[in-house]
Amino acid sequence: MVTIDRVDKRSLADRLGLRAGDRLVSLNGYEINDVLDYEFYAADSGLRIEYERGGVRRAVSVWHPAGGDLGLHFSTYLMDEKRRCRNGCIFCFIDQNPKGLRESLYFKDDDERLSFLQGNYVTLTNLTPAQVERIVRMHISPINVSVHTTDPELRVRMMRNKDAGLVLGYLDTLASGGIALNVQLVLCHTVNDGRALARSLDDLLKLDTLQSVACVPAGLTRHREGLTPLVPFDRESASAVLDLLEEKSRAYIAKFGARTVYAADEFFLKAGREVPGESYYEGYPQLENGVGMLRSHSDEFLAALETAAYTAAGSPFTCVTGEAAYGHICALLEAAKAKFPFLEGDVACIRNDFYGESITVAGLLVGRDIIAQLCARGHHRRLILPSCMLRAEGDLFLDDTTLPQLSDSLGVSVTVIGPSGDELLEAFFAQG
C-alpha cells in the first residue's frame, strides 16, 4: 500500500475520483508496494483499482488503453526507501571517501529496482528468493549484476558478506527465467584477476542470457586507512588482464556470436595500449562502465569535425580534464586546430590531490584541485568542463565547490558539456 502524492488533472485517475492522500492498495488484486508493482500491473487494459481513503476501502473498475498512464504520482520514485547495501566490499569507493563530504556521498544503494529502471548494478545479496521470483514473473529485464568473482568463497571474502557466495545461484535462476544479464567484474590486482578471473569468465559463459561483461579496475584513493591493503594495476598486470580477456573472448564469440567480454578503457591506458576500434565494442553495451568511452567520444568528435565549417574562432578556452583522458583530449584539440588554425585553446591536466594520484578520471576531480592548479599554471578566460565532474543537478563538485565559486575564484566563464564528442567540438568554438 502506497500513498498517492498527486493526481494529474483530467487524467484517468482524476476522472475516477482518486485524490492526493489516498492510499493505493492493489491493482487487479495485486498488492502495490513499489514502482515495479505499479508499472507492471497498471499496464493491463482492464483494471480494478482498490484504494483507501480515511480508513475506508474503495474500489473502481475501468478499461483503458494497455500501457496507458493513469495519472498517479507518488512522493518518491521508488514509492519507498532505497535499499541500502549490506556488503563491506574491500574495494568499495564510498568507504574511501574522506570525512566531511555531503551525506548523500556516503549512501550505498543495492536495489534491484534501480538496476532495471536506471541501470544501477546490484550484488544480489539484498534479494530474497521471492524477489528473484518476482523479477522472473514480471520479466524485469535486463538486470545488471556486480559479480566480481564466481568463486563463492572468494566472493564472501571480497564482499565481506556471508551470503555473497550463496546468492550466485540467483544468476542461474534469472538466466533460466529468460532475464538478460549484464555483468560487472571490479578487479583487484592479486585478488580476483589471474586464475580467479579466468574461472569467472568460464562460469559466466554458461549463462545463456548473458549480454555483456565489463572488467573494471578498482579505484583506490589515498583515504584507505584501516581498509584492506590493495595494490593498483600497473602496465604488466593490466596487460595480463587484456590478454586473458582476448583469449577468453574466443569461446564467447563461438557461443554468442559476439565478443561479449570487454575491458574498461583504464586497462588499455594503464597497459600503454591503443584503445580498440569501434568494432571491438559491439554497440557499446557497457559504455556507462567506462568501456569504450574514449573510442566513442573520439569517433563522434572526428565525425563532427569532418563536416564542420566554422569561419571564426570562439573565445579562447582551457579544456579541463583528468590525467587519464589528457592525451585523448589533446589529440582531438590538435585535430581541430589542424583544420581550423585560428582556433585558440589549450588542455589542462588536473592531478587529483583530493583522492590521490591513483585516481585519474575526470569525473572524480574536485573544484578545489581545479582552482589551485589552474592558478599555478595559468588559463584562458573560458573553461570547458565535462558534466561528469558535477552531480546530476549540475551545480556541485564532489567537494561541494559550486560553479559560481569556481568562476569567481579564477575570473572565468564556464562551459559545461555532456559526454558526446560533437558537444566538445561545439564548445571549442563557443563564445563565453
Side-chain angles (χ1 to χ4, degrees), residues 49-81:
I49 304 172
E50 186 177 3
Y51 63 99
E52 183 180 287
R53 179 183 298 163
V56 178
R57 291 282 178 99
R58 307 180 182 209
V60 291
S61 297
V62 67
W63 286 91
H64 76 123
D69 184 21
L70 296 182
L72 296 179
H73 300 271
F74 305 89
S75 57
T76 64
Y77 179 57
L78 293 173
M79 301 185 185
D80 64 0
E81 296 298 319

PDB file of all heavy atoms in Angstrom, residues 49-81:
ATOM      1  N   ILE A  49      -9.126  -1.021  -9.480  1.00  0.00           N
ATOM      2  CA  ILE A  49      -8.248  -0.230  -8.621  1.00  0.00           C
ATOM      3  C   ILE A  49      -8.854  -0.182  -7.223  1.00  0.00           C
ATOM      4  O   ILE A  49      -9.971   0.334  -7.034  1.00  0.00           O
ATOM      5  CB  ILE A  49      -8.083   1.205  -9.165  1.00  0.00           C
ATOM      6  CG1 ILE A  49      -7.567   1.173 -10.614  1.00  0.00           C
ATOM      7  CG2 ILE A  49      -7.149   2.016  -8.266  1.00  0.00           C
ATOM      8  CD1 ILE A  49      -7.561   2.535 -11.287  1.00  0.00           C
ATOM      9  N   GLU A  50      -8.116  -0.711  -6.261  1.00  0.00           N
ATOM     10  CA  GLU A  50      -8.560  -0.658  -4.876  1.00  0.00           C
ATOM     11  C   GLU A  50      -7.706   0.362  -4.137  1.00  0.00           C
ATOM     12  O   GLU A  50      -6.473   0.341  -4.230  1.00  0.00           O
ATOM     13  CB  GLU A  50      -8.437  -2.030  -4.212  1.00  0.00           C
ATOM     14  CG  GLU A  50      -9.034  -2.074  -2.804  1.00  0.00           C
ATOM     15  CD  GLU A  50      -8.974  -3.462  -2.179  1.00  0.00           C
ATOM     16  OE1 GLU A  50      -8.420  -4.379  -2.832  1.00  0.00           O
ATOM     17  OE2 GLU A  50      -9.466  -3.626  -1.056  1.00  0.00           O
ATOM     18  N   TYR A  51      -8.378   1.252  -3.408  1.00  0.00           N
ATOM     19  CA  TYR A  51      -7.644   2.278  -2.680  1.00  0.00           C
ATOM     20  C   TYR A  51      -8.322   2.537  -1.341  1.00  0.00           C
ATOM     21  O   TYR A  51      -9.454   2.084  -1.088  1.00  0.00           O
ATOM     22  CB  TYR A  51      -7.522   3.560  -3.496  1.00  0.00           C
ATOM     23  CG  TYR A  51      -8.830   4.238  -3.824  1.00  0.00           C
ATOM     24  CD1 TYR A  51      -9.276   5.328  -3.075  1.00  0.00           C
ATOM     25  CD2 TYR A  51      -9.624   3.809  -4.889  1.00  0.00           C
ATOM     26  CE1 TYR A  51     -10.463   5.971  -3.374  1.00  0.00           C
ATOM     27  CE2 TYR A  51     -10.820   4.430  -5.192  1.00  0.00           C
ATOM     28  CZ  TYR A  51     -11.243   5.506  -4.433  1.00  0.00           C
ATOM     29  OH  TYR A  51     -12.434   6.129  -4.725  1.00  0.00           O
ATOM     30  N   GLU A  52      -7.645   3.258  -0.483  1.00  0.00           N
ATOM     31  CA  GLU A  52      -8.155   3.539   0.857  1.00  0.00           C
ATOM     32  C   GLU A  52      -8.178   5.041   1.086  1.00  0.00           C
ATOM     33  O   GLU A  52      -7.206   5.727   0.779  1.00  0.00           O
ATOM     34  CB  GLU A  52      -7.269   2.850   1.900  1.00  0.00           C
ATOM     35  CG  GLU A  52      -7.747   3.008   3.326  1.00  0.00           C
ATOM     36  CD  GLU A  52      -6.832   2.296   4.298  1.00  0.00           C
ATOM     37  OE1 GLU A  52      -6.855   1.046   4.348  1.00  0.00           O
ATOM     38  OE2 GLU A  52      -6.063   3.009   4.997  1.00  0.00           O
ATOM     39  N   ARG A  53      -9.293   5.525   1.627  1.00  0.00           N
ATOM     40  CA  ARG A  53      -9.416   6.950   1.953  1.00  0.00           C
ATOM     41  C   ARG A  53     -10.070   7.066   3.335  1.00  0.00           C
ATOM     42  O   ARG A  53     -11.168   6.553   3.539  1.00  0.00           O
ATOM     43  CB  ARG A  53     -10.256   7.676   0.917  1.00  0.00           C
ATOM     44  CG  ARG A  53     -10.435   9.173   1.207  1.00  0.00           C
ATOM     45  CD  ARG A  53     -11.339   9.825   0.173  1.00  0.00           C
ATOM     46  NE  ARG A  53     -10.780   9.734  -1.160  1.00  0.00           N
ATOM     47  CZ  ARG A  53     -11.488   9.920  -2.283  1.00  0.00           C
ATOM     48  NH1 ARG A  53     -12.788  10.188  -2.209  1.00  0.00           N
ATOM     49  NH2 ARG A  53     -10.906   9.815  -3.455  1.00  0.00           N
ATOM     50  N   GLY A  54      -9.367   7.701   4.250  1.00  0.00           N
ATOM     51  CA  GLY A  54      -9.915   7.869   5.591  1.00  0.00           C
ATOM     52  C   GLY A  54     -10.197   6.558   6.286  1.00  0.00           C
ATOM     53  O   GLY A  54     -11.166   6.462   7.062  1.00  0.00           O
ATOM     54  N   GLY A  55      -9.389   5.550   6.000  1.00  0.00           N
ATOM     55  CA  GLY A  55      -9.569   4.253   6.641  1.00  0.00           C
ATOM     56  C   GLY A  55     -10.622   3.380   6.000  1.00  0.00           C
ATOM     57  O   GLY A  55     -10.861   2.250   6.453  1.00  0.00           O
ATOM     58  N   VAL A  56     -11.269   3.874   4.934  1.00  0.00           N
ATOM     59  CA  VAL A  56     -12.323   3.114   4.251  1.00  0.00           C
ATOM     60  C   VAL A  56     -11.808   2.614   2.906  1.00  0.00           C
ATOM     61  O   VAL A  56     -11.277   3.396   2.095  1.00  0.00           O
ATOM     62  CB  VAL A  56     -13.578   3.992   4.043  1.00  0.00           C
ATOM     63  CG1 VAL A  56     -14.650   3.217   3.292  1.00  0.00           C
ATOM     64  CG2 VAL A  56     -14.100   4.484   5.385  1.00  0.00           C
ATOM     65  N   ARG A  57     -11.936   1.308   2.655  1.00  0.00           N
ATOM     66  CA  ARG A  57     -11.527   0.730   1.371  1.00  0.00           C
ATOM     67  C   ARG A  57     -12.573   1.023   0.303  1.00  0.00           C
ATOM     68  O   ARG A  57     -13.785   0.892   0.526  1.00  0.00           O
ATOM     69  CB  ARG A  57     -11.356  -0.790   1.509  1.00  0.00           C
ATOM     70  CG  ARG A  57     -10.175  -1.222   2.362  1.00  0.00           C
ATOM     71  CD  ARG A  57      -8.868  -1.116   1.583  1.00  0.00           C
ATOM     72  NE  ARG A  57      -7.725  -1.489   2.400  1.00  0.00           N
ATOM     73  CZ  ARG A  57      -7.140  -2.683   2.371  1.00  0.00           C
ATOM     74  NH1 ARG A  57      -7.602  -3.636   1.574  1.00  0.00           N
ATOM     75  NH2 ARG A  57      -6.097  -2.926   3.134  1.00  0.00           N
ATOM     76  N   ARG A  58     -12.100   1.397  -0.880  1.00  0.00           N
ATOM     77  CA  ARG A  58     -12.972   1.665  -2.023  1.00  0.00           C
ATOM     78  C   ARG A  58     -12.383   0.979  -3.243  1.00  0.00           C
ATOM     79  O   ARG A  58     -11.197   0.654  -3.271  1.00  0.00           O
ATOM     80  CB  ARG A  58     -13.092   3.172  -2.295  1.00  0.00           C
ATOM     81  CG  ARG A  58     -13.500   3.983  -1.081  1.00  0.00           C
ATOM     82  CD  ARG A  58     -13.596   5.458  -1.405  1.00  0.00           C
ATOM     83  NE  ARG A  58     -13.942   6.241  -0.234  1.00  0.00           N
ATOM     84  CZ  ARG A  58     -14.602   7.382  -0.265  1.00  0.00           C
ATOM     85  NH1 ARG A  58     -14.993   7.885  -1.423  1.00  0.00           N
ATOM     86  NH2 ARG A  58     -14.874   8.036   0.849  1.00  0.00           N
ATOM     87  N   ALA A  59     -13.191   0.790  -4.267  1.00  0.00           N
ATOM     88  CA  ALA A  59     -12.709   0.150  -5.488  1.00  0.00           C
ATOM     89  C   ALA A  59     -13.460   0.705  -6.691  1.00  0.00           C
ATOM     90  O   ALA A  59     -14.657   1.003  -6.612  1.00  0.00           O
ATOM     91  CB  ALA A  59     -12.876  -1.360  -5.411  1.00  0.00           C
ATOM     92  N   VAL A  60     -12.740   0.862  -7.809  1.00  0.00           N
ATOM     93  CA  VAL A  60     -13.336   1.260  -9.082  1.00  0.00           C
ATOM     94  C   VAL A  60     -12.747   0.362 -10.169  1.00  0.00           C
ATOM     95  O   VAL A  60     -11.627  -0.135 -10.046  1.00  0.00           O
ATOM     96  CB  VAL A  60     -13.050   2.739  -9.426  1.00  0.00           C
ATOM     97  CG1 VAL A  60     -13.800   3.662  -8.478  1.00  0.00           C
ATOM     98  CG2 VAL A  60     -11.561   3.028  -9.382  1.00  0.00           C
ATOM     99  N   SER A  61     -13.523   0.142 -11.218  1.00  0.00           N
ATOM    100  CA  SER A  61     -13.059  -0.672 -12.342  1.00  0.00           C
ATOM    101  C   SER A  61     -13.143   0.157 -13.606  1.00  0.00           C
ATOM    102  O   SER A  61     -14.038   0.994 -13.766  1.00  0.00           O
ATOM    103  CB  SER A  61     -13.908  -1.938 -12.479  1.00  0.00           C
ATOM    104  OG  SER A  61     -13.770  -2.762 -11.334  1.00  0.00           O
ATOM    105  N   VAL A  62     -12.200  -0.092 -14.524  1.00  0.00           N
ATOM    106  CA  VAL A  62     -12.152   0.728 -15.729  1.00  0.00           C
ATOM    107  C   VAL A  62     -11.403  -0.020 -16.834  1.00  0.00           C
ATOM    108  O   VAL A  62     -10.544  -0.863 -16.561  1.00  0.00           O
ATOM    109  CB  VAL A  62     -11.447   2.075 -15.434  1.00  0.00           C
ATOM    110  CG1 VAL A  62      -9.978   1.873 -15.109  1.00  0.00           C
ATOM    111  CG2 VAL A  62     -11.612   3.049 -16.586  1.00  0.00           C
ATOM    112  N   TRP A  63     -11.760   0.276 -18.078  1.00  0.00           N
ATOM    113  CA  TRP A  63     -10.985  -0.166 -19.245  1.00  0.00           C
ATOM    114  C   TRP A  63     -10.220   1.039 -19.776  1.00  0.00           C
ATOM    115  O   TRP A  63     -10.754   2.143 -19.850  1.00  0.00           O
ATOM    116  CB  TRP A  63     -11.915  -0.709 -20.339  1.00  0.00           C
ATOM    117  CG  TRP A  63     -12.479  -2.055 -20.023  1.00  0.00           C
ATOM    118  CD1 TRP A  63     -13.656  -2.320 -19.377  1.00  0.00           C
ATOM    119  CD2 TRP A  63     -11.888  -3.311 -20.309  1.00  0.00           C
ATOM    120  NE1 TRP A  63     -13.838  -3.666 -19.234  1.00  0.00           N
ATOM    121  CE2 TRP A  63     -12.756  -4.313 -19.804  1.00  0.00           C
ATOM    122  CE3 TRP A  63     -10.705  -3.714 -20.930  1.00  0.00           C
ATOM    123  CZ2 TRP A  63     -12.496  -5.669 -19.914  1.00  0.00           C
ATOM    124  CZ3 TRP A  63     -10.438  -5.068 -21.048  1.00  0.00           C
ATOM    125  CH2 TRP A  63     -11.327  -6.027 -20.537  1.00  0.00           C
ATOM    126  N   HIS A  64      -8.968   0.829 -20.142  1.00  0.00           N
ATOM    127  CA  HIS A  64      -8.177   1.920 -20.719  1.00  0.00           C
ATOM    128  C   HIS A  64      -7.143   1.303 -21.652  1.00  0.00           C
ATOM    129  O   HIS A  64      -6.887   0.087 -21.604  1.00  0.00           O
ATOM    130  CB  HIS A  64      -7.520   2.758 -19.613  1.00  0.00           C
ATOM    131  CG  HIS A  64      -6.328   2.102 -18.966  1.00  0.00           C
ATOM    132  ND1 HIS A  64      -5.094   2.691 -18.923  1.00  0.00           N
ATOM    133  CD2 HIS A  64      -6.176   0.906 -18.353  1.00  0.00           C
ATOM    134  CE1 HIS A  64      -4.244   1.892 -18.294  1.00  0.00           C
ATOM    135  NE2 HIS A  64      -4.873   0.815 -17.937  1.00  0.00           N
ATOM    136  N   PRO A  65      -6.535   2.081 -22.531  1.00  0.00           N
ATOM    137  CA  PRO A  65      -5.543   1.521 -23.458  1.00  0.00           C
ATOM    138  C   PRO A  65      -4.420   0.834 -22.696  1.00  0.00           C
ATOM    139  O   PRO A  65      -3.895   1.374 -21.713  1.00  0.00           O
ATOM    140  CB  PRO A  65      -5.029   2.752 -24.216  1.00  0.00           C
ATOM    141  CG  PRO A  65      -6.126   3.761 -24.088  1.00  0.00           C
ATOM    142  CD  PRO A  65      -6.746   3.525 -22.748  1.00  0.00           C
ATOM    143  N   ALA A  66      -4.055  -0.364 -23.120  1.00  0.00           N
ATOM    144  CA  ALA A  66      -2.978  -1.105 -22.462  1.00  0.00           C
ATOM    145  C   ALA A  66      -1.716  -0.260 -22.415  1.00  0.00           C
ATOM    146  O   ALA A  66      -1.289   0.301 -23.428  1.00  0.00           O
ATOM    147  CB  ALA A  66      -2.704  -2.410 -23.198  1.00  0.00           C
ATOM    148  N   GLY A  67      -1.125  -0.151 -21.220  1.00  0.00           N
ATOM    149  CA  GLY A  67       0.081   0.654 -21.056  1.00  0.00           C
ATOM    150  C   GLY A  67      -0.185   2.125 -20.882  1.00  0.00           C
ATOM    151  O   GLY A  67       0.751   2.911 -20.723  1.00  0.00           O
ATOM    152  N   GLY A  68      -1.470   2.525 -20.893  1.00  0.00           N
ATOM    153  CA  GLY A  68      -1.802   3.946 -20.742  1.00  0.00           C
ATOM    154  C   GLY A  68      -1.505   4.465 -19.349  1.00  0.00           C
ATOM    155  O   GLY A  68      -1.491   3.710 -18.371  1.00  0.00           O
ATOM    156  N   ASP A  69      -1.287   5.758 -19.247  1.00  0.00           N
ATOM    157  CA  ASP A  69      -0.916   6.386 -17.985  1.00  0.00           C
ATOM    158  C   ASP A  69      -2.168   6.662 -17.159  1.00  0.00           C
ATOM    159  O   ASP A  69      -3.137   7.246 -17.657  1.00  0.00           O
ATOM    160  CB  ASP A  69      -0.164   7.681 -18.264  1.00  0.00           C
ATOM    161  CG  ASP A  69       0.333   8.355 -16.995  1.00  0.00           C
ATOM    162  OD1 ASP A  69       0.455   7.656 -15.966  1.00  0.00           O
ATOM    163  OD2 ASP A  69       0.601   9.563 -17.040  1.00  0.00           O
ATOM    164  N   LEU A  70      -2.148   6.265 -15.884  1.00  0.00           N
ATOM    165  CA  LEU A  70      -3.280   6.525 -15.002  1.00  0.00           C
ATOM    166  C   LEU A  70      -3.283   7.957 -14.495  1.00  0.00           C
ATOM    167  O   LEU A  70      -4.328   8.477 -14.106  1.00  0.00           O
ATOM    168  CB  LEU A  70      -3.253   5.569 -13.807  1.00  0.00           C
ATOM    169  CG  LEU A  70      -3.407   4.078 -14.105  1.00  0.00           C
ATOM    170  CD1 LEU A  70      -3.395   3.287 -12.806  1.00  0.00           C
ATOM    171  CD2 LEU A  70      -4.681   3.815 -14.881  1.00  0.00           C
ATOM    172  N   GLY A  71      -2.108   8.585 -14.441  1.00  0.00           N
ATOM    173  CA  GLY A  71      -2.027   9.956 -13.941  1.00  0.00           C
ATOM    174  C   GLY A  71      -1.762  10.051 -12.464  1.00  0.00           C
ATOM    175  O   GLY A  71      -2.014  11.089 -11.852  1.00  0.00           O
ATOM    176  N   LEU A  72      -1.231   8.981 -11.861  1.00  0.00           N
ATOM    177  CA  LEU A  72      -0.907   8.990 -10.443  1.00  0.00           C
ATOM    178  C   LEU A  72       0.571   9.277 -10.227  1.00  0.00           C
ATOM    179  O   LEU A  72       1.418   8.814 -10.994  1.00  0.00           O
ATOM    180  CB  LEU A  72      -1.243   7.632  -9.808  1.00  0.00           C
ATOM    181  CG  LEU A  72      -2.720   7.222  -9.810  1.00  0.00           C
ATOM    182  CD1 LEU A  72      -2.875   5.851  -9.170  1.00  0.00           C
ATOM    183  CD2 LEU A  72      -3.570   8.249  -9.072  1.00  0.00           C
ATOM    184  N   HIS A  73       0.868  10.028  -9.176  1.00  0.00           N
ATOM    185  CA  HIS A  73       2.249  10.320  -8.806  1.00  0.00           C
ATOM    186  C   HIS A  73       2.427  10.030  -7.321  1.00  0.00           C
ATOM    187  O   HIS A  73       1.487  10.171  -6.531  1.00  0.00           O
ATOM    188  CB  HIS A  73       2.597  11.780  -9.108  1.00  0.00           C
ATOM    189  CG  HIS A  73       2.466  12.132 -10.550  1.00  0.00           C
ATOM    190  ND1 HIS A  73       3.499  11.999 -11.463  1.00  0.00           N
ATOM    191  CD2 HIS A  73       1.397  12.602 -11.263  1.00  0.00           C
ATOM    192  CE1 HIS A  73       3.082  12.377 -12.657  1.00  0.00           C
ATOM    193  NE2 HIS A  73       1.823  12.747 -12.571  1.00  0.00           N
ATOM    194  N   PHE A  74       3.663   9.671  -6.968  1.00  0.00           N
ATOM    195  CA  PHE A  74       3.945   9.267  -5.601  1.00  0.00           C
ATOM    196  C   PHE A  74       5.109  10.087  -5.060  1.00  0.00           C
ATOM    197  O   PHE A  74       5.869  10.680  -5.818  1.00  0.00           O
ATOM    198  CB  PHE A  74       4.235   7.768  -5.558  1.00  0.00           C
ATOM    199  CG  PHE A  74       3.123   6.953  -6.165  1.00  0.00           C
ATOM    200  CD1 PHE A  74       3.116   6.657  -7.531  1.00  0.00           C
ATOM    201  CD2 PHE A  74       2.063   6.522  -5.398  1.00  0.00           C
ATOM    202  CE1 PHE A  74       2.067   5.930  -8.109  1.00  0.00           C
ATOM    203  CE2 PHE A  74       1.015   5.798  -5.960  1.00  0.00           C
ATOM    204  CZ  PHE A  74       1.017   5.510  -7.320  1.00  0.00           C
ATOM    205  N   SER A  75       5.241  10.107  -3.744  1.00  0.00           N
ATOM    206  CA  SER A  75       6.192  11.029  -3.114  1.00  0.00           C
ATOM    207  C   SER A  75       7.632  10.733  -3.476  1.00  0.00           C
ATOM    208  O   SER A  75       8.469  11.628  -3.529  1.00  0.00           O
ATOM    209  CB  SER A  75       6.023  11.020  -1.597  1.00  0.00           C
ATOM    210  OG  SER A  75       6.192   9.704  -1.088  1.00  0.00           O
ATOM    211  N   THR A  76       7.964   9.474  -3.708  1.00  0.00           N
ATOM    212  CA  THR A  76       9.304   9.103  -4.147  1.00  0.00           C
ATOM    213  C   THR A  76       9.201   8.232  -5.378  1.00  0.00           C
ATOM    214  O   THR A  76       8.192   7.558  -5.595  1.00  0.00           O
ATOM    215  CB  THR A  76      10.083   8.345  -3.050  1.00  0.00           C
ATOM    216  OG1 THR A  76       9.425   7.104  -2.778  1.00  0.00           O
ATOM    217  CG2 THR A  76      10.183   9.157  -1.783  1.00  0.00           C
ATOM    218  N   TYR A  77      10.254   8.237  -6.170  1.00  0.00           N
ATOM    219  CA  TYR A  77      10.250   7.478  -7.423  1.00  0.00           C
ATOM    220  C   TYR A  77      10.010   5.998  -7.173  1.00  0.00           C
ATOM    221  O   TYR A  77       9.249   5.339  -7.882  1.00  0.00           O
ATOM    222  CB  TYR A  77      11.586   7.701  -8.129  1.00  0.00           C
ATOM    223  CG  TYR A  77      11.736   6.966  -9.436  1.00  0.00           C
ATOM    224  CD1 TYR A  77      10.822   7.148 -10.463  1.00  0.00           C
ATOM    225  CD2 TYR A  77      12.807   6.110  -9.654  1.00  0.00           C
ATOM    226  CE1 TYR A  77      10.955   6.491 -11.665  1.00  0.00           C
ATOM    227  CE2 TYR A  77      12.956   5.448 -10.857  1.00  0.00           C
ATOM    228  CZ  TYR A  77      12.029   5.644 -11.858  1.00  0.00           C
ATOM    229  OH  TYR A  77      12.167   4.985 -13.046  1.00  0.00           O
ATOM    230  N   LEU A  78      10.664   5.449  -6.147  1.00  0.00           N
ATOM    231  CA  LEU A  78      10.536   4.025  -5.856  1.00  0.00           C
ATOM    232  C   LEU A  78       9.297   3.709  -5.028  1.00  0.00           C
ATOM    233  O   LEU A  78       8.946   2.556  -4.857  1.00  0.00           O
ATOM    234  CB  LEU A  78      11.774   3.531  -5.099  1.00  0.00           C
ATOM    235  CG  LEU A  78      13.078   3.532  -5.896  1.00  0.00           C
ATOM    236  CD1 LEU A  78      14.248   3.182  -4.983  1.00  0.00           C
ATOM    237  CD2 LEU A  78      13.004   2.552  -7.053  1.00  0.00           C
ATOM    238  N   MET A  79       8.637   4.735  -4.513  1.00  0.00           N
ATOM    239  CA  MET A  79       7.470   4.626  -3.629  1.00  0.00           C
ATOM    240  C   MET A  79       7.865   4.192  -2.217  1.00  0.00           C
ATOM    241  O   MET A  79       7.021   4.124  -1.331  1.00  0.00           O
ATOM    242  CB  MET A  79       6.403   3.668  -4.191  1.00  0.00           C
ATOM    243  CG  MET A  79       5.873   4.071  -5.544  1.00  0.00           C
ATOM    244  SD  MET A  79       4.532   2.991  -6.042  1.00  0.00           S
ATOM    245  CE  MET A  79       4.224   3.578  -7.687  1.00  0.00           C
ATOM    246  N   ASP A  80       9.089   3.817  -1.990  1.00  0.00           N
ATOM    247  CA  ASP A  80       9.597   3.562  -0.650  1.00  0.00           C
ATOM    248  C   ASP A  80      11.084   3.877  -0.636  1.00  0.00           C
ATOM    249  O   ASP A  80      11.615   4.452  -1.585  1.00  0.00           O
ATOM    250  CB  ASP A  80       9.316   2.117  -0.195  1.00  0.00           C
ATOM    251  CG  ASP A  80      10.038   1.079  -1.038  1.00  0.00           C
ATOM    252  OD1 ASP A  80      10.758   1.456  -1.990  1.00  0.00           O
ATOM    253  OD2 ASP A  80       9.899  -0.124  -0.746  1.00  0.00           O
ATOM    254  N   GLU A  81      11.779   3.545   0.428  1.00  0.00           N
ATOM    255  CA  GLU A  81      13.182   3.896   0.557  1.00  0.00           C
ATOM    256  C   GLU A  81      14.070   3.033  -0.338  1.00  0.00           C
ATOM    257  O   GLU A  81      13.757   1.865  -0.612  1.00  0.00           O
ATOM    258  CB  GLU A  81      13.624   3.719   2.013  1.00  0.00           C
ATOM    259  CG  GLU A  81      12.912   4.657   2.983  1.00  0.00           C
ATOM    260  CD  GLU A  81      13.195   6.108   2.685  1.00  0.00           C
ATOM    261  OE1 GLU A  81      14.353   6.436   2.364  1.00  0.00           O
ATOM    262  OE2 GLU A  81      12.246   6.923   2.767  1.00  0.00           O
TER     263      GLU A  81
END
